[in-house]
């Protein structure tokens, strides 16, 4: 049957098309991965980068070349448009490692693009010539049109991929590798060669602050957070001096303006003063906290970015997911291999030079050239020379061939006549010495590679120190730092809350991302996201902003249980909850209701007056109830019974104080932040009126509150502690004006908050050497008394050196020519006789169980309110911790040499008298 008569089979045709598309897609995907988007592990370069570097090498004559010319030369090897070549060259040139650039190459900080290729110039850097090229160790292939050869990969003797970073998107695959620090890469390579463990982290040209706690060695699944460096100029101004990687100043400013427009932050204006250095000035709105605004900038703008690295490289013509450590190890091992090959090539070249020099010397000194004068044919000449060399052949490392003899015949008579045996011996000696050196390097290849990396640091490491500071961030809670851009209203009767019902009762300011808690008369409550208008249920008795994990906000409530007819009181907190789920303050019986309710931000416990109905049979119709007698329990606890009789009304008698005690505060030095999570240094237990004392290296002190949103410059803080009423600051410093060492002791006399006061002279050479806030401080000083004496260590009880004076006084001179180091020691502890113990009746448990019984004999106490019942609850009862009485430290005695120390708090003329210490 002919083909024309065959029936059409659509199924077979579809299968053919499917196979064609599958093959074409795989070929395309493979091409994009291998030839465009993903770098090779051998040299860390994409094909376009490798080809332009090769083109630059071919053009390299030490002078700058127009970028347009380089692009044209690269197109001989790269089968794509000039735009991709130009962009790749600008990306490499802006890092100023492989290329020396000239002209306007743009700015990675501002996002400004480079000038046109015809206006800017480029050449290979000395570093690129040293680590990236070697004709003898390069593997070659033909270019796409078969006219020229190009390198398969460049013989890179440095982990370029880690230093430069890379980002590329292929078909179904992407790679994102962060740039790392040049010096740290070299040091990590040295550690790997020594068999030691190493860790390297990203470093960005834009600087900033980096959290690498979840970096995962740069492998897939890791994550880093990068922040801008924001500092407080004054209480109304902030400055951004470094920006996160991947952002620009323009994009950063746009994100700040958008956050302000959305009401997340409150600012007046933003100024971009970026020139040589980044400088973005943010002017704050009225009554805006700089510390909270800094956190808000991190939470709502591009001042903090999160990046997910994904290290993918091409190895053996396949993409591989790797880690940063794998890349560095492979690259370092490759460097070791390339150095070995170079040494072996150099060894071969030296041995060949030595062989030829020896042949030349034998040929001339033994006058073999005279024996060839009688030869009639060229072959006879070759044979005659070969016979003349026969006695010496055993001394050469290889056989002497025809080509070696031909080289001897090319020696000119002039060279033979001027042959100097002494110079020939000197040349051979130098060759032998060089050969010994190469053999030594081959025998100690690891040490040679270590020296190679150390030399790279010496030659090219200057100016390449780490720019990005490594810190572990505290998570910024958006609900805490969001500006109050909305007002919360409530319609109590109809049960609506929100910021859109502006005709109803105003409750408080809030932000549009806050959670709102609402309590109703029937005892039910729920938490929901704030919105324009939200129905939560009729008869609302209380609503406010709710913060998750707020353990110090305590709710006090008295409610009627409709089932038993009894009235109960409870104190509870709500630290976590399911949003939009209804909970109950009461036991849940129908027709139960809340009789009294209060919301206490710091655990206050008030006293209320309970009035019973006139028809009740209770002996006392009115009595006081103190919430301080109740334990704080979980939200589901029943509480303690107040009375079994009907209650007519409950009224507030007097406000109470906090029953939670002070707050323990810690300071995290590397973050410059306070916390309550026991991280860092413990600085004290704080009551509401207490203050934080911050002493700076600049010779200034500052008083602040203990809000967790406070920011401190961690690099300049020398001491941070709780301000004590009788606390004494002891400072040892060098006065730059008089060039004399001083010691001074003073008390904090100012009360102004959030303002720095200078207690040292403002000379630029003035330096604070040591600081203490202990009552009886001690210090170890490394001193040099005069020019002839040696440095010695001396311990001092500092209170014996100077009395307490005003904070502006200079203090007393220290009789030393130089103090090289000050180490503050543990304070002196004076043991005191303990007072006799007196019996102390503890009626706390009785008070808790009686629960107001002395005011009303008919008040009963249920099992649920006892301490034993509290142990059965899911939530542990919280009670105020009694603070141990602080022993009063004895005041230091006044030194006899300073009788007038208490007469004036200003500069004391006697303070300049040198101490008679020795």
């Amino acid at each position: 049957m002919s083909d024309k008569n065959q029936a059409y089979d659509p199924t077979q045709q579809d299968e053919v098309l499917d196979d064609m598309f599958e093959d074409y897609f795989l070929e395309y995907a493979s091409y994009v991965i291998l030839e465009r988007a993903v770098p090779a592990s051998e040299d860390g370069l994409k094909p376009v980068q490798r080809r332009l570097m090769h083109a630059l090498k071919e053009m390299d004559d030490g002078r700058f070349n127009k970028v347009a010319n380089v692009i044209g030369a690269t197109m001989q090897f790269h089968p794509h448009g000039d735009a991709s070549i130009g962009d790749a060259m600008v990306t490499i040139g802006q890092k100023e490692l492989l290329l020396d650039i000239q002209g306007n190459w743009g700015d990675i900080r501002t996002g400004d693009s480079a000038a046109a290729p015809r206006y800017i110039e480029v050449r290979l850097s000395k570093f690129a010539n040293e680590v990236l090229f070697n004709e003898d160790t390069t593997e070659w292939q033909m270019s796409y049109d078969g006219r020229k050869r190009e390198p398969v990969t460049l013989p890179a003797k440095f982990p370029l991929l880690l230093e430069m970073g890379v980002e590329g998107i292929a078909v179904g695959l992407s790679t994102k590798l962060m740039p790392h620090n040049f010096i740290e890469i070299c040091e990590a390579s040295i550690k790997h060669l020594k068999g030691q463990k190493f860790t390297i982290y990203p470093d960005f040209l834009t600087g900033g602050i980096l959290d690498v706690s979840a970096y995962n060695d740069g492998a897939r699944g890791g994550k880093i957070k990068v922040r801008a460096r924001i500092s407080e100029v004054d209480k109304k101004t902030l400055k951004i001096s470094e920006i996160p990687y991947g952002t620009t100043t323009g994009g950063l400013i746009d994100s700040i303006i958008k956050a302000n427009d959305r009401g997340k932050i409150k600012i007046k204006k933003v100024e971009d003063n970026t020139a040589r250095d980044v400088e973005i000035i943010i002017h704050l709105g009225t009554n805006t906290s700089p510390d909270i605004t800094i956190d808000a900038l991190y939470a709502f703008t591009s001042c903090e970015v999160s990046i997910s690295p994904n290290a993918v490289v091409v190895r053996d013509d396949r993409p591989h997911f790797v880690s940063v450590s794998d890349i560095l190890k492979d690259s370092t091992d490759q460097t070791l291999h390339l150095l070995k090959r170079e040494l072996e090539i150099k060894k071969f070249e030296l041995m060949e030079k030595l062989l030829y020099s020896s042949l030349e010397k034998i040929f001339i000194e033994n006058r073999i050239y005279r024996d060839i004068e009688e030869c009639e044919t060229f072959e006879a000449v070759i044979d005659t020379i070969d016979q003349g060399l026969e006695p010496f052949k055993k001394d050469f490392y290889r056989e002497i061939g025809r080509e070696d003899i031909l080289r001897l015949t090319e020696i000119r008579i002039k060279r033979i006549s001027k042959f100097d045996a002494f110079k020939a011996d000197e040349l051979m000696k130098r060759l032998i010495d060089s050969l010994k050196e190469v053999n030594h390097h081959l025998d100690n290849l690891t040490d040679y590679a270590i020296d190679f990396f150390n030399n790279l640091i010496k030659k090219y490491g200057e100016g390449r120190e780490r720019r990005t500071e490594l810190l572990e961030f505290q998570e910024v809670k958006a609900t805490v730092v969001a500006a109050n851009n909305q007002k919360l209203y409530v319609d109590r009767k109809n049960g609506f809350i929100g910021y859109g019902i502006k005709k109803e009762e105003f409750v408080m300011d809030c932000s549009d991302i806050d959670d709102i808690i609402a309590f109703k008369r029937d005892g039910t409550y729920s938490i929901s996201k704030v919105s324009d208008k939200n129905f939560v249920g009729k008869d609302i008795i209380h609503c406010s902003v709710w913060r998750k994990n707020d353990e110090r906000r305590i709710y006090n409530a008295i409610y009627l249980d409709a089932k038993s007819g009894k009235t109960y009181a409870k104190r509870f907190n709500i630290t976590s909850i399911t949003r939009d789920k209804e909970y109950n303050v009461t036991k849940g019986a129908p027709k139960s209701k809340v009789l009294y309710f209060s919301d206490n931000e710091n655990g206050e416990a008030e006293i209320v007056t309970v009035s019973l109905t006139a028809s009740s049979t209770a002996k006392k119709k009115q009595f006081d109830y103190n919430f301080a007698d109740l334990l704080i329990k979980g939200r589901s606890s029943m509480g303690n019974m107040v009375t079994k009789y009907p209650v007519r009304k409950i009224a507030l008698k007097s406000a109470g104080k906090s029953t939670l005690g002070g707050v323990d505060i810690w300071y995290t030095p590397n973050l410059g932040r306070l916390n309550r999570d026991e991280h860092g240094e413990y600085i004290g237990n704080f009551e509401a009126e207490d203050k934080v004392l911050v002493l700076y290296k600049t010779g200034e002190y500052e008083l602040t509150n203990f809000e967790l949103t406070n920011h401190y410059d961690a690099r300049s803080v020398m001491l941070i502690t709780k301000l004590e009423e009788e606390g004494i600051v002891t400072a040892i410093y060098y006065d730059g004006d008089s060039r004399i060492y001083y010691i001074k002791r003073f008390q904090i006399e100012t009360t102004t908050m959030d303002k720095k006061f200078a207690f040292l002279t403002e000379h630029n050479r003035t330096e604070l050497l040591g600081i203490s806030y202990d009552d009886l401080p001690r210090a170890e000083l490394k001193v040099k008394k005069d020019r002839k004496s040696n440095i010695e260590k001396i311990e001092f009880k500092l209170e014996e050196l100077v009395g307490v004076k005003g904070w502006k006084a200079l203090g007393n001179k220290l009789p030393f020519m130089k103090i090289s180091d000050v180490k503050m020691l543990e304070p002196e502890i004076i043991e005191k006789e303990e007072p006799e113990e007196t019996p102390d009746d503890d009626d706390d448990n009785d008070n808790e169980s009686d629960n107001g019984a002395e005011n009303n004999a008919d008040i009963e106490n249920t099992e649920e309110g006892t301490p034993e019942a509290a142990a059965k609850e899911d939530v542990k009862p919280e009670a105020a911790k009694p603070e141990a009485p602080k022993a009063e430290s004895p005041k230091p005695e006044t030194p006899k040499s300073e009788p007038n120390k208490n007469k004036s708090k200003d500069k004391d003329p006697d303070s300049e008298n040198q101490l008679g210490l020795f």
Side-chain angles (χ1 to χ4, degrees), residues 93-105:
Q94 286 177 338
K95 297 178 181 178
E96 299 184 12
L97 178 67
L98 298 178
L99 304 179
D100 292 337
I101 58 177
Q102 195 165 267
N104 178 17
W105 280 68

Side-chain angles (χ1 to χ4, degrees), residues 297-313:
L297 288 170
Y298 290 140
F300 301 112
T301 73
S302 298
C303 288
E304 179 180 319
V305 296
S306 180
I307 303 173
S308 298
N310 184 28
V312 181
V313 297

Side-chain angles (χ1 to χ4, degrees), residues 552 602-605 656-661 880:
R552 298 189 68 83
N602 199 33
E604 291 82 3
K657 295 183 179 180
S658 174
T659 60
L660 299 180

